[in-house]
Amino acid sequence: MDLLSGARAFVAVARRQSFSEAARDEQTTQPVVSRRVAGLEAQLGGALLERSTRRVRLTALGTALLEHVQALLGAERSLLDAAASHHRGTVRLLVPCDLDPARWAALRVRALGAGADLEIEEAGRERRTLRFRLGEADAAVLPVETARADWVVPLGLAQVTDRRRPLSLGALRPTRAQGPKAASNLLVLAEDASGQLLSVLRTSAAECGLAANQVAESQNLVSALAGAIAGDDWILCTRKQASAWGLQWFEVRELPVARAYRLELRTPDGRRLFDASLRRDIAAALGAVPGVQP
């Protein structure tokens, strides 16, 4: 039995809760869908769907395996996309999330002018590293130690505020009159939330009298921005990000932290494409200047 055909039929039935509606989606007949699901069930050693009710429902095994089956189909799509990209001569570049998309669009336009189809995909730091190592991209902008970096981008704190004086971490301490509940949080975005950086931040915060829970990782940019716009929290970010988000950005001398990136290249097409001009565009998108150290 074709494992992928069974997987597609199972996901279609699970989505529609109906064999007949799944058959229409798959542009086949209900008996074919039933045979494919039955074949998958035989391979996986148990019933995936409960057929005795008016609407088809997942069994306990089906519930446990649905996500894995969807991942299998996602891997199939990635394989086919990668093959199609290779045949088109596409160069695939993985870049950090939450940066100005217009900058990446300008990079793609410049690459097209050089005769290359550059496909740019945003991904988190860990996912970029994993996918590049698995060979799913020709190039990737990856976090590295400062000594190996092509670009270094200083980080500071940003918020909606009318403050004009320089900012120090001590200013985030709550006053006795305000009480601990009024303390501002220092929010770290996923791109910067490595164990080493969080350790540096928490050590610096503790030395300035901040509570340990005032340094927090935020996986949700919208929530972090809501706190910064309300003037309750501060986001650790680059100057360019703060400007794009309408926040006031401050360099904080007690926070000697920065993003350090390197363009890693895997394929000959990638190595040929990324000349000095395209590297300058990447630097602009990151908010960095090559050779600048924090």
Side-chain angles (χ1 to χ4, degrees), residues 6-228:
R8 282 190 288 271
F10 168 54
V11 170
V13 175
R15 182 176 60 248
R16 288 293 195 174
Q17 297 183 311
S18 164
F19 278 86
S20 58
E21 292 179 21
R24 282 195 291 271
D25 287 350
E26 295 296 300
Q27 297 183 329
T28 187
T29 64
Q30 182 175 335
V32 169
V33 170
S34 296
R35 283 198 302 272
R36 289 174 179 174
V37 171
L40 180 64
E41 289 174 326
Q43 283 192 302
L44 298 180
L48 301 171
L49 298 165
E50 174 56 61
R51 298 164 172 80
S52 61
T53 58
R54 289 185 60 190
R55 303 295 294 179
V56 178
R57 300 185 185 279
L58 291 169
T59 63
L61 179 63
T63 300
L65 297 184
L66 177 60
E67 184 176 342
H68 297 282
V69 176
Q70 290 171 322
L72 173 65
L73 296 178
E76 178 197 26
R77 286 192 296 272
S78 294
L79 174 63
L80 295 175
D81 288 345
S85 294
H86 177 77
H87 294 310
R88 291 196 309 267
T90 300
V91 176
R92 305 180 73 180
L93 171 66
L94 301 175
V95 301
C97 300
D98 302 329
L99 299 177
D100 184 356
R103 292 286 188 177
W104 297 127
L107 175 65
R108 187 169 193 276
V109 170
R110 186 185 291 274
L112 287 170
D117 180 14
L118 178 61
E119 181 179 303
I120 301 174
E121 182 179 343
E122 294 180 313
R125 55 184 289 137
E126 293 180 0
R127 184 161 179 77
R128 291 199 310 279
T129 300
L130 176 61
R131 292 187 60 192
F132 183 74
R133 288 176 178 171
L134 291 175
E136 295 181 8
D138 302 279
V141 178
L142 300 181
V144 294
E145 60 273 17
T146 302
R148 295 185 56 240
D150 293 326
W151 305 284
V152 176
V153 192
L155 296 171
L157 297 181
Q159 185 190 75
V160 168
T161 177
D162 56 6
R163 184 187 183 92
R164 293 294 177 263
R165 303 187 309 278
L167 180 68
S168 67
L169 279 182
L172 275 62
R173 290 196 305 265
T175 65
R176 185 171 299 178
Q178 291 173 319
K181 291 185 178 179
S184 295
N185 291 319
L186 192 165
L187 301 178
V188 182
L189 301 178
E191 182 65 23
D192 305 307
S194 68
Q196 182 178 1
L197 185 140
L198 285 171
S199 177
V200 170
L201 290 181
R202 286 172 176 147
T203 299
S204 298
E207 290 173 351
C208 294
L210 276 65
N213 61 2
Q214 283 185 256
V215 178
E217 179 180 352
S218 176
Q219 295 287 347
N220 188 321
L221 177 60
V222 173
S223 296
L225 284 173

Side-chain angles (χ1 to χ4, degrees), residues 107 110-111 114 118 273-283:
L107 175 65
R110 186 185 291 274
L118 178 61
L273 176 61
F274 290 102
D275 59 11
S277 63
L278 262 66
R279 286 173 179 268
R280 284 194 293 270
D281 285 343
I282 294 174

